[in-house]
Amino acid sequence: MNKKAFFIYAESQIHAGTGTDVGIVDLPIQRERTTGFPVIQGVKGALRSSDLLSSKDEEIFGSTPDTKEESLPGKVNFSEAKILLFPVRSPQKVFVWVTCPLVLRRFQRLTDIEFDIPEPNNEEAYVCEKNNEKIQLEEMEFTEEANENVKNIAEKLSNSSPDDYMKAKIAKDLVIVSDEMFKNIVKTMTEIVPRIRIGENGVVKQGALWYEEYLPQDTVMYFVCRSDKNELNGDLDELNGKIITIGGKESTGKGIVFIKKVI
């Protein structure tokens, strides 16, 4: 096999930033230009820094940038991390995980996992089991529709969870909305956190207030590893079930993620 995929389950908020911005949010997260969906660049660097693959470091990642000898390329190519399931507050179930057909088709194409993907319209939200006429996703309200295919998808994606409790919750609390509605959700329902800088005398410095954007805890993403010339076999299996940090703000406890093998 020359391709492997891994889930990333957020055990804390994640800030994979783009630098400063002129908008309301001073430090936004990384997003695809075309869709606005969140992504995380730099998966390769985070994995290398974790030292989980230290015994095969140069073979997998290639030479370090500061090497004085001829540089050697690594045998594995790492994709960016793409969004799969986005947690959203819901009064009926505390919170649920939301996804959409476009996200699921991308995941299916890259991992070869088979399931039938339903296509809700902008007013519908497809769920595993219907409990109410309407379902609220923060301030948005949708017509709740049970769909048998959602059960199958939820069961397969629940393998991303770090424990049995969360696995059971994903298996029953997955919601599929339209691509357009999902785009709005991931744009407006991230976490915006105000930060301040304190001076030497314990007083807030004048003008030292800024806002940072985070992916919420329990977000599920995934990345794909490929090798054009070599069989990966068990080269990356040491990542399965491990915890690493990714993105910025590590010193404040952000970016802690659980890694689980998909294929």
Side-chain angles (χ1 to χ4, degrees):
M1 173 181 278
N2 62 356
K3 179 173 71 172
K4 290 191 177 183
F6 292 87
F7 294 114
I8 291 177
Y9 188 101
E11 296 278 35
S12 67
Q13 300 161 308
I14 302 174
H15 177 79
T18 61
T20 57
D21 191 77
V22 294
I24 296 174
V25 178
D26 301 284
L27 298 175
I29 60 173
Q30 298 169 2
R31 295 179 180 274
E32 295 178 353
R33 182 173 179 82
T34 51
T35 64
F37 294 172
V39 296
I40 300 177
Q41 307 285 351
V43 170
K44 177 180 178 180
L47 292 175
R48 188 168 208 169
S49 296
S50 73
D51 285 333
L52 292 176
L53 301 170
S54 57
S55 62
K56 308 169 186 175
D57 186 273
E58 189 166 294
E59 178 186 0
I60 290 174
F61 299 108
S63 303
T64 56
D66 59 351
T67 183
K68 296 180 180 180
E69 301 175 359
E70 183 180 357
S71 62
L72 299 174
K75 77 173 188 179
V76 181
N77 301 319
F78 295 86
S79 76
E80 65 189 9
K82 297 181 179 294
I83 190 70
L84 182 59
L85 306 177
F86 189 80
V88 177
R89 187 174 59 216
S90 177
Q92 292 96 331
K93 297 183 177 182
V94 184
F95 78 94
V96 297
W97 285 272
V98 182
T99 190
C100 71
L102 175 57
V103 165
L104 292 172
R105 291 189 189 283
R106 286 177 168 181
F107 176 77
Q108 189 176 60
R109 186 170 64 249
L110 290 172
T111 62
D112 303 321
I113 293 180
E114 293 296 329
F115 43 66
D116 294 323
I117 301 172
E119 298 275 353
N121 62 39
N122 287 348
E123 288 74 42
E124 296 173 325
Y126 287 174
V127 297
C128 298
E129 294 182 6
K130 184 174 179 178
N131 298 302
N132 302 283
E133 290 300 317
K134 301 287 185 178
I135 182 171
Q136 287 181 276
L137 303 177
E138 292 208 5
E139 74 277 5
M140 293 182 175
E141 188 175 72
F142 299 86
T143 301
E144 189 174 77
E145 297 289 347
N147 187 288
E148 193 64 29
N149 292 325
V150 180
K151 284 186 178 181
N152 183 35
I153 295 170
E155 184 65 31
K156 292 183 177 180
L157 299 189
S158 68
N159 290 325
S160 62
S161 63
D163 57 45
D164 291 340
Y165 180 86
M166 300 308 286
K167 181 176 182 177
K169 181 169 175 59
I170 293 175
K172 65 184 178 64
D173 289 343
L174 180 67
V175 177
I176 299 178
V177 299
S178 70
D179 297 341
E180 183 178 344
M181 291 297 101
F182 186 75
K183 177 181 178 180
N184 292 337
I185 285 170
V186 297
K187 182 65 176 177
T188 62
M189 298 183 189
T190 53
E191 296 187 24
I192 309 300
V193 178
R195 299 289 303 277
I196 57 173
R197 183 177 294 111
I198 305 296
E200 294 179 359
N201 56 359
V203 178
V204 177
K205 288 187 176 182
Q206 185 174 0
L209 169 67
W210 72 95
Y211 293 88
E212 297 173 349
E213 185 179 22
Y214 290 86
L215 285 171
Q217 182 176 347
D218 299 302
T219 298
V220 180
M221 307 183 83
Y222 68 98
F223 64 92
V224 179
C225 312
R226 294 185 179 88
S227 181
D228 296 332
K229 301 178 181 179
N230 303 279
E231 293 294 317
L232 291 177
N233 298 319
D235 288 330
L236 303 173
D237 288 352
E238 293 173 57
L239 298 176
N240 190 43
K242 299 299 194 302
I243 291 177
I244 68 169
T245 57
I246 193 166
K249 314 301 175 184
E250 181 178 346
S251 62
T252 58
K254 311 303 184 186
I256 301 172
V257 301
F258 175 83
I259 299 179
K260 190 76 173 289
K261 184 179 176 181
V262 180
I263 57 173

